[in-house]
Coordinates of all heavy atoms in Angstrom, one line a residue:
Chain B
N358 N -1.2 -37.0 1.1 CA -1.5 -36.9 2.6 C -0.4 -35.9 3.2 O -0.8 -35.1 4.0 CB -1.3 -38.3 3.2 CG -1.7 -38.4 4.6 OD1 -2.3 -37.5 5.1 ND2 -1.2 -39.3 5.4
I359 N 0.9 -36.1 2.8 CA 1.9 -35.2 3.2 C 1.6 -33.7 2.9 O 1.6 -32.8 3.8 CB 3.3 -35.6 2.7 CG1 3.7 -36.9 3.4 CG2 4.4 -34.6 3.1 CD1 5.0 -37.5 2.8
E360 N 1.2 -33.5 1.7 CA 1.0 -32.1 1.2 C -0.2 -31.4 2.0 O -0.1 -30.3 2.2 CB 0.8 -32.1 -0.3 CG 2.2 -32.1 -0.9 CD 2.1 -32.3 -2.5 OE1 0.9 -32.5 -3.0 OE2 3.1 -32.2 -3.1
R361 N -1.2 -32.3 2.3 CA -2.3 -31.7 3.1 C -1.6 -31.2 4.4 O -2.0 -30.1 4.9 CB -3.3 -32.8 3.2 CG -4.6 -32.6 2.5 CD -5.8 -33.4 3.0 NE -5.4 -34.7 3.3 CZ -5.4 -35.7 2.3 NH1 -5.6 -35.4 1.1 NH2 -5.0 -36.9 2.6
N362 N -0.8 -32.1 5.0 CA -0.2 -31.8 6.2 C 0.7 -30.7 6.2 O 0.6 -29.7 7.1 CB 0.5 -33.0 6.7 CG 0.1 -33.6 7.9 OD1 -0.3 -32.8 8.8 ND2 0.0 -34.9 8.0
V363 N 1.5 -30.5 5.1 CA 2.4 -29.4 5.0 C 1.6 -28.1 4.8 O 2.0 -27.1 5.5 CB 3.2 -29.7 3.7 CG1 3.9 -28.4 3.3 CG2 4.3 -30.8 3.9
A364 N 0.6 -28.2 4.0 CA -0.3 -27.1 3.8 C -0.9 -26.5 5.1 O -0.9 -25.3 5.5 CB -1.6 -27.3 2.9
L365 N -1.3 -27.5 6.1 CA -1.9 -27.1 7.4 C -0.7 -26.4 8.0 O -0.9 -25.4 8.7 CB -2.2 -28.4 8.0 CG -3.3 -28.2 9.2 CD1 -4.6 -28.0 8.5 CD2 -3.2 -29.4 10.0
N366 N 0.5 -27.0 8.1 CA 1.6 -26.5 8.8 C 2.1 -25.1 8.3 O 2.5 -24.3 9.0 CB 2.8 -27.4 8.9 CG 2.6 -28.5 9.9 OD1 2.8 -28.1 11.2 ND2 2.2 -29.6 9.6
Q367 N 1.9 -24.9 6.9 CA 2.4 -23.8 6.4 C 1.3 -22.6 6.8 O 1.8 -21.5 6.9 CB 2.2 -23.8 4.8 CG 3.5 -24.1 4.2 CD 3.5 -24.6 2.8 OE1 2.5 -24.8 2.3 NE2 4.7 -24.6 2.1
S368 N 0.2 -23.0 6.9 CA -0.8 -21.8 7.4 C -0.4 -21.5 8.7 O -0.5 -20.4 9.1 CB -2.3 -22.2 7.2 OG -2.4 -23.6 7.6
V369 N 0.1 -22.4 9.6 CA 0.5 -22.1 10.9 C 1.8 -21.2 10.9 O 1.7 -20.1 11.5 CB 0.8 -23.3 11.7 CG1 1.4 -23.1 13.1 CG2 -0.5 -24.1 12.0
D370 N 2.6 -21.6 9.9 CA 3.7 -20.7 9.9 C 3.5 -19.4 9.3 O 4.0 -18.4 9.8 CB 4.8 -21.4 8.9 CG 6.1 -20.9 8.8 OD1 6.7 -20.7 9.8 OD2 6.5 -20.4 7.7
L371 N 2.6 -19.3 8.3 CA 2.0 -18.0 7.9 C 1.6 -17.2 8.9 O 1.7 -16.0 9.0 CB 1.2 -18.3 6.7 CG 0.8 -17.1 5.8 CD1 2.1 -16.9 4.8 CD2 -0.3 -17.5 4.8

Side-chain angles (χ1 to χ4, degrees):
Chain B
N358 190 19
I359 290 175
E360 273 167 1
R361 254 197 310 281
N362 242 318
V363 166
L365 206 74
N366 277 285
Q367 264 168 351
S368 41
V369 173
D370 191 53
L371 199 68

